[in-house]
Amino acid sequence: MIPELGHYALVLALFVAFVQAGPPLVGAATRNAAWMSVAGPAAIAQMLLVLVAYGALTWAHVVSDFSVQNVVQNSHSLKPMLYKVSGVWGNHEGSMVLWIVMLAVFGAAVAAFGRNLPPTLKARVLAVQGLIGIGFLLFILTTSNPFIRVVPAPLDGNDLNPLLQDPGLAFHPPFLYAGYVGFSMAFSFAVAALIEGRVDPAWARWVRPWTLAAWSTLTMGIALGSWWAYYELGWGGWWYWDPVENASFMPWLAGTALLHSAIVVEKRDALKSWTILLAIVTFSLSLMGTFLVRSGILTSVHAFAVDPARGAFILVLLAIATGGSLLLYSLRAPALKAGGLFAPVSREGALVLNNLLLSTATATVFIGTLYPLFLDILKAGKVSVGPPFFNATFVPIAIPLVAAMVVGPFLSWKRADLGAALTRLWVAGVVVVVCVAVTAYVTAGGGPLLALVGVALAAWAIVGSLVEFAERIRLFRVPLADSWTRAVHLPRSAWGMTIAHAFLGVSIMGMTATSAWQSERIDSMRPGQTASLAGYDFRFDSVGPVAGENYKADRAIFTVTKDGQPVATLTPERRSYPVTRMTTTESAIHTTLFSDLYIALGDPTQNGTAWIVRIYHHPMVPWIWIGGVGMMLGGLVSLTDRRFRIGAPERRRAAKAGLVPPAQPAE
């Protein structure tokens, strides 16, 4: 009965989405306040209905209701409870329900907290969200119904893919989907602004918090996915430029450009047309990622193996959303009034350079990801595009991007003095020289020259961001009490920018160090043998069977010492899941702030007396994920800025003039 309730809730949500999309659009065009007012309650009703559907599917998984096909295919009675819950979104059908939940939650948030929005803009934004909801609810109900029954019901299920039975994968998809779907709000605001024919600083103020929320959660989702791949797959790497990895990275790059271009719209009323285009492109890239994962054209540990009919449906949605919005853009964008003029060397100029480099980087990843797929579809041969291509094309774009990122905040609006800005960064320059010299000395010149460039960029980003913050609060130029007062009263967005930029440098340092100076050893080892790597000794003590809730495993014990002193005891496993007949590698990692010792247990040799063992030493690899968490934190701090919770400037000025009643601040 509960699965049927979930199914009916999805059907009702579809009808509510039609109500959310239709009357508000007509009402906004005719200035009919009653029709426009339908949008808010409809958005909230749609959210409640899809939450009911999601709750019903979760209930079916938790109680192991094997009369539901989705539960049969993706669960098992012996599966731990955490993975019964996360298994709801660990499959195609359930993940699409989570997708629509995120979409409905964002729409309901605008309905509840968007009281400062002009009624016509709010109605159109929610109507566009309703149109997106219609497309995906139709997709779920017609091709991906998660509530299909099985008669007769089997005694047990097929279990979840063992690679997904992991804490990292339990939390990675919700963050990733919140980022993907969150960019739908920027898309809806862009389409609504095109319909109205008006983009101004107030619009940028309204769209930025939604973009910040999406960017922050997508940052965390990508970081969690990278961390999972690092410790779960047993290959010791953190990024492989996999097409599905790239599918999440491209909207992140475009979303980063959108965040920065919206600042120019808000501060200087410029780059309006470009910002609208970025909002459309960013969400379109999110839809493309959804298509790649579900079309069946990719073979990846990240992809859902589904039939091409579902991919065709999403491709149609992608064509309608992208094609329709770009058509509207081509018709309305030329009429948008240009904003204020500025010199090339200015804060605006730095943000334009930022956008150009980010857009070029996005295009590079886009071409490298899709070109081989197009060739394969056209039967024109197979081309392998992997890390060497992306490292050779993306890194040269990232270097000037990070270098300019630090200088930009030191430039004034409209016109600036580049020499004066660089002079104020002399401390960062000194630190960069010292870091490069120390690194070259410690590594004795080992590693590629590009590694020293990476160290320089990381130090430049970290110290430069801190120097900019110190300039804001006039640190060491006024009494410390005054600096503290200035820091307390700084806008939260200034705090967030400093945090995000500095932690990007932290991630760059981790990426550079582990890529350039990692060491590895792959050996066939017997219990009692010792292998040495990076100054550490790894003694293979023993290996024996252990049993988990739904798996059996061979667990090895390694004692790690350095200079005869014990460092850690590591216990890697090789697990076998009898239901799915799959084997996974559970690596063992000893981590410190500055390095990881990593062991993965491979297959036994033919005679069974020895095991293939992979041992890695990754210097500073934890910094990659520390930086990712820090960047998300920076975005969330910016999101708490008071300016995003009060009326936009134009509306406040109009209220003071008595033209409109002052709006109450959103909570």
Side-chain angles (χ1 to χ4, degrees):
M1 181 62 186
I2 290 182
E4 281 70 29
L5 177 64
H7 186 200
Y8 294 150
L10 285 179
V11 174
L12 288 175
L14 174 62
F15 284 105
V16 171
F18 275 106
V19 174
Q20 180 181 335
L25 275 181
V26 177
T30 61
R31 295 299 191 269
N32 187 318
W35 285 34
M36 286 191 290
S37 66
V38 169
I44 294 173
Q46 185 190 160
M47 179 193 69
L48 294 175
L49 288 168
V50 297
L51 285 175
V52 168
Y54 186 80
L57 185 60
T58 302
W59 180 90
H61 275 261
V62 168
V63 302
S64 297
D65 183 356
F66 295 118
S67 67
V68 178
Q69 181 174 294
N70 184 265
V71 180
V72 174
Q73 293 176 343
N74 301 285
S75 190
H76 191 273
S77 59
L78 297 180
K79 191 169 67 171
M81 182 56 67
L82 172 63
Y83 305 128
K84 287 185 178 181
V85 174
S86 65
V88 176
W89 59 73
N91 60 88
H92 168 74
E93 293 84 1
S95 68
M96 291 312 303
V97 177
L98 179 62
W99 210 102
I100 199 68
V101 165
M102 297 291 183
L103 184 71
V105 167
F106 272 97
V110 170
F113 304 115
R115 291 192 291 268
N116 291 311
L117 294 172
T120 54
L121 180 64
K122 181 177 180 180
R124 285 172 171 141
V125 168
L126 291 177
V128 176
Q129 283 289 107
L131 289 172
I132 300 171
I134 289 171
F136 279 92
L137 284 166
L138 282 173
F139 173 69
I140 292 173
L141 291 170
T142 58
T143 71
S144 309
N145 187 352
F147 298 109
I148 295 175
R149 292 284 194 175
V150 176
V151 180
L155 296 177
D156 220 324
N158 300 334
D159 208 356
L160 181 68
N161 185 335
L163 290 175
L164 305 182
Q165 296 187 40
D166 180 86
L169 258 290
F171 300 105
H172 158 67
F175 280 102
L176 200 66
Y177 288 8
Y180 274 162
V181 183
F183 285 126
S184 69
M185 288 311 312
F187 174 84
S188 296
F189 269 95
V191 172
L194 288 173
I195 295 173
E196 291 203 349
R198 180 186 176 191
V199 179
D200 55 21
W203 175 87
R205 176 75 60 83
W206 289 318
V207 79
R208 278 186 65 201
W210 306 105
T211 307
L212 263 173
W215 181 88
S216 300
T217 52
L218 184 57
T219 300
M220 190 62 187
I222 293 173
L224 280 173
S226 170
W227 180 55
W228 167 80
Y230 169 72
Y231 71 78
E232 176 65 21
L233 300 184
W235 62 297
W238 49 272
W239 191 264
Y240 196 68
W241 296 103
D242 179 277
V244 181
E245 291 175 337
N246 295 347
S248 64
F249 190 42
M250 286 185 283
W252 186 87
L253 290 170
T256 305
L258 173 61
L259 272 178
H260 290 82
S261 65
I263 296 173
V264 182
V265 178
E266 180 184 350
K267 299 292 187 181
R268 296 285 298 129
D269 198 24
L271 300 186
K272 293 185 286 189
S273 179
W274 172 248
T275 303
I276 291 287
L277 180 60
L278 275 178
I280 294 171
V281 169
T282 301
F283 182 58
S284 298
L285 289 172
S286 296
L287 290 178
M288 190 194 71
T290 305
F291 165 72
L292 289 176
V293 173
R294 290 165 173 81
S295 63
I297 66 175
L298 291 179
T299 301
S300 168
V301 296
H302 309 278
F304 294 104
V306 297
D307 62 274
R310 292 171 174 174
F313 196 112
I314 297 179
L315 189 60
V316 171
L317 287 180
L318 175 61
I320 293 173
T322 305
S325 57
L326 289 178
L327 176 61
L328 181 62
Y329 174 80
S330 67
L331 296 174
R332 292 300 186 94
L336 296 178
K337 294 181 180 179
L341 299 177
F342 53 87
V345 180
S346 62
R347 180 78 64 87
E348 298 96 323
L351 290 170
V352 169
L353 178 62
N354 159 285
N355 269 230
L356 289 174
L357 292 171
L358 282 169
S359 299
T360 304
T362 306
T364 299
V365 179
F366 182 89
I367 293 171
T369 302
L370 293 188
Y371 179 67
L373 300 179
F374 282 129
L375 287 183
D376 193 21
I377 292 172
L378 297 174
K379 307 297 183 183
K382 291 186 177 293
V383 174
S384 177
V385 176
F389 167 81
F390 290 104
N391 292 337
T393 56
F394 182 85
V395 173
I397 300 170
I399 291 173
L401 175 63
V402 176
M405 176 192 78
V406 176
V407 180
F410 286 89
L411 302 176
S412 56
W413 296 102
K414 295 183 67 174
R415 185 181 300 276
D417 184 346
L418 180 59
L422 292 174
T423 300
R424 295 160 68 188
L425 279 164
W426 69 269
V427 173
V430 171
V431 173
V432 166
V433 172
V434 171
C435 287
V436 170
V438 170
T439 302
Y441 175 78
V442 170
T443 61
L449 178 63
L450 198 59
L452 296 180
V453 175
V455 170
L457 277 179
W460 179 251
I462 296 170
V463 182
S465 299
L466 297 178
V467 168
E468 193 273 337
F469 188 81
E471 286 276 329
R472 282 178 179 266
I473 64 175
R474 300 178 65 83
L475 187 64
F476 305 130
R477 297 166 63 183
V478 298
L480 287 178
D482 291 348
S483 293
W484 173 254
T485 301
R486 288 173 177 270
V488 170
H489 289 93
L490 272 182
R492 298 282 179 82
S493 58
W495 280 88
M497 180 190 72
T498 299
I499 293 170
H501 285 184
F503 274 101
L504 174 61
V506 171
S507 282
I508 292 172
M509 186 68 81
M511 296 172 190
T512 300
T514 191
S515 299
W517 296 294
Q518 72 171 358
S519 50
E520 62 180 294
R521 180 170 180 172
I522 303 175
D523 271 340
S524 172
M525 296 182 66
R526 295 181 176 84
Q529 288 186 326
T530 298
S532 298
L533 182 71
Y536 293 90
D537 295 318
F538 300 81
R539 188 180 71 241
F540 189 0
D541 294 329
S542 64
V543 61
V546 296
E549 289 187 63
N550 62 336
Y551 64 86
K552 298 179 180 179
D554 293 302
R555 176 182 295 170
I557 299 177
F558 286 82
T559 298
V560 185
T561 58
K562 185 173 186 179
D563 299 328
Q565 300 299 314
V567 174
T569 299
L570 299 179
T571 57
E573 296 181 3
R574 187 151 182 85
R575 294 181 179 177
S576 176
Y577 291 79
V579 176
T580 59
R581 298 181 181 178
M582 289 182 63
T583 302
T584 65
T585 298
E586 299 295 320
S587 58
I589 303 173
H590 173 69
T591 186
T592 66
L593 183 61
F594 296 102
S595 68
D596 274 4
L597 300 176
Y598 182 114
I599 301 179
L601 186 67
D603 294 320
T605 57
Q606 289 185 349
N607 58 18
T609 61
W611 294 77
I612 303 299
V613 177
R614 294 177 175 86
I615 305 174
Y616 301 90
H617 175 252
H618 293 292
M620 302 187 78
V621 72
W623 287 36
I624 297 175
W625 302 294
I626 293 172
V629 174
M631 283 189 282
M632 182 198 69
L633 177 63
L636 295 180
V637 169
S638 293
L639 196 58
T640 65
D641 195 306
R642 180 174 175 271
R643 293 177 302 166
F644 298 144
R645 304 195 302 275
I646 62 176
E650 278 72 12
R651 185 170 179 83
R652 290 207 305 274
R653 286 197 290 268
K656 290 179 180 179
L659 301 178
V660 295
Q664 296 298 318
E667 295 177 357

